[in-house]
């Protein structure tokens, strides 16, 4: 599929019925933007993002648990790819994870956040593997929120051939500018599309600011939501445009881009 529409959603997903809120936005998106093929929701959108051990333990579920079953049915009804954050319980450990569901309702991928913030380290186990998935839309890779601060992760995803990075987030004040700059950088330094969505609202000292956006392979914002305004942003994803840029100014050809980390490590160990 050469060109298709992607949607990102921002709202306060620390509500009493997050799955109902997700369902509302899926209905709204399909009605307003029927050409949408993939819709992305923020980090831990299915459960809410609260720094409480009781909350995390209460909301933790298997990747194919109740939230997946609910959203899988919606994916099948509307023939959509749905990406959403949730709290995952697996093998006795708890992860901050994201699922991607395909339009036939199948679970295509689960990624566990690698880079945890100081507020998260006592709640979650860090993930330990890259996740990419080939789809009819292109090859998709995953990061979650603070993962965007680490260029190596996105670079490794690009080396695995991703066209699009999904970055569901819960990025708080006063780091608005860093959120936008890091998203821009991860897109432009790998010549990939990057979609990120954030919370609005907040509780106590933790306040969110929105600014969800979809960035092109040149780092430019294609579409976004201003500040804390709740709602949906949509943008066309043109995989052919990425390929054109990779062969021109934003070259990613192997013969022109040196993997500096590999060279430095090799020199250190020789």
């Amino acid at each position: 599929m050469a060109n298709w529409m992607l949607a990102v959603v921002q709202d306060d997903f620390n509500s009493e019925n997050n799955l109902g809120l997700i369902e509302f936005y899926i209905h709204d998106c399909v009605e307003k933007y029927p050409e949408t093929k993939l819709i992305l929701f923020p980090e831990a959108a299915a459960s809410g993002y609260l720094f409480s051990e009781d909350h995390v333990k209460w909301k933790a579920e298997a990747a194919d648990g109740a939230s997946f079953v609910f959203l899988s049915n919606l994916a099948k009804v509307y023939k959509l790819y749905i990406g959403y954050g949730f709290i995952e319980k697996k093998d006795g450990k708890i992860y901050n994870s994201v699922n991607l569901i395909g339009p036939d309702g199948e679970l295509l991928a689960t990624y566990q956040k690698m880079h945890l913030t100081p507020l998260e380290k006592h709640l979650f186990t860090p993930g330990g593997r890259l996740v990419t998935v080939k789809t009819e839309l292109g090859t998709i890779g995953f990061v979650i929120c603070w993962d965007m601060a680490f260029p190596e992760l996105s670079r490794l995803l690009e080396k695995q051939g991703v066209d699009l990075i999904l970055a569901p987030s819960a990025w708080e004040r006063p780091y608005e500018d860093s959120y936008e700059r890091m998203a821009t950088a991860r897109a432009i330094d790998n010549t990939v599309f990057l979609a990120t969505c954030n919370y609005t609202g907040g509780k106590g000292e933790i306040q969110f600011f929105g600014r969800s956006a979809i960035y092109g392979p040149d780092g430019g914002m294609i579409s976004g939501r201003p500040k804390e305004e709740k709602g949906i942003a949509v943008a066309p994803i043109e995989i052919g445009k990425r390929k054109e840029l990779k062969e021109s100014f934003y070259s990613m050809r192997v013969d022109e881009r040196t993997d500096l980390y590999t060279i430095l490590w090799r020199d250190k160990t020789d």
Side-chain angles (χ1 to χ4, degrees):
M1 187 176 296
N3 301 329
W4 52 277
M5 296 295 291
L6 184 152
V8 295
V9 177
Q10 70 178 33
D11 203 319
D12 184 353
F13 284 93
N14 286 315
S15 73
E16 295 182 0
N17 183 14
N18 288 338
L19 291 180
L21 186 57
I22 289 174
E23 182 179 19
F24 164 78
Y25 274 111
I26 290 173
H27 288 310
D28 191 46
C29 183
V30 170
E31 182 176 327
K32 292 179 178 176
Y33 312 103
E35 67 276 23
T36 300
K37 297 298 181 184
L38 190 158
I39 183 168
L40 179 66
F41 294 90
E43 178 179 9
S47 57
Y49 188 80
L50 297 172
F51 298 106
S52 160
E53 291 186 16
D54 289 340
H55 176 81
V56 167
K57 290 178 180 178
W58 177 45
K59 290 292 187 177
E61 59 180 318
D64 59 355
S67 296
F68 164 75
V69 173
F70 181 82
L71 296 173
S72 172
N73 289 329
L74 291 174
K76 285 188 287 187
V77 168
Y78 293 108
K79 297 299 178 185
L80 280 174
Y81 289 84
I82 299 174
Y84 66 98
F86 71 107
I87 298 172
E88 181 185 8
K89 185 175 183 179
K90 182 178 181 181
D91 300 329
K93 298 179 180 179
I94 297 179
Y95 299 92
N96 184 339
S97 300
V98 58
N99 269 349
L100 181 67
I101 303 174
D104 293 327
E106 69 276 33
L107 180 58
L108 296 179
T110 302
Y111 167 71
Q112 298 158 344
K113 186 175 182 178
M114 291 188 186
H115 300 94
L116 302 176
T117 69
L119 293 173
E120 296 173 323
K121 289 182 178 180
H122 70 292
L123 298 173
F124 303 110
T125 298
R129 66 185 183 92
L130 299 172
V131 176
T132 65
V133 59
K134 291 184 178 180
T135 75
E136 63 175 340
L137 305 179
T139 300
I140 299 172
F142 305 86
V143 301
I144 298 175
C145 198
W146 190 232
D147 283 332
M148 283 197 295
F150 299 85
E152 299 87 351
L153 178 53
S154 295
R155 176 65 183 140
L156 289 171
L157 290 173
E158 193 281 331
K159 287 172 73 69
Q160 292 196 4
V162 301
D163 300 298
L164 164 68
I165 294 176
L166 299 182
S169 297
W171 208 293
E172 75 275 14
R173 296 185 185 279
Y175 306 110
E176 295 94 322
D177 291 343
S178 295
Y179 177 61
E180 293 182 340
R181 289 168 184 163
M182 289 175 183
T184 296
R186 300 296 82 81
I188 194 172
D189 59 20
N190 293 294
T191 322
V192 295
F193 289 93
L194 186 144
T196 182
C197 49
N198 194 22
Y199 281 59
T200 62
K203 294 184 182 298
E205 295 182 0
I206 305 299
Q207 296 292 320
F208 303 101
F209 52 81
R211 298 199 188 185
S212 304
I214 301 163
Y215 296 86
D218 61 356
M221 183 188 295
I222 306 172
S223 179
R225 297 298 299 184
K227 299 184 179 180
E228 292 190 27
E229 180 183 285
K230 300 176 181 180
I232 303 168
V234 298
I237 303 298
E238 304 176 59
I239 301 301
K241 183 65 174 177
R242 175 180 184 249
K243 293 178 180 177
E244 288 178 14
L245 290 171
K246 283 179 64 177
E247 293 299 321
S248 58
F249 181 77
Y250 303 90
S251 176
M252 286 289 158
R253 291 195 298 271
V254 174
D255 61 332
E256 292 189 1
R257 178 147 186 173
T258 300
D259 192 332
L260 182 60
Y261 296 107
T262 300
I263 291 175
L264 291 175
W265 181 254
R266 184 187 64 206
D267 292 345
K268 182 179 179 180
T269 55
D270 282 347

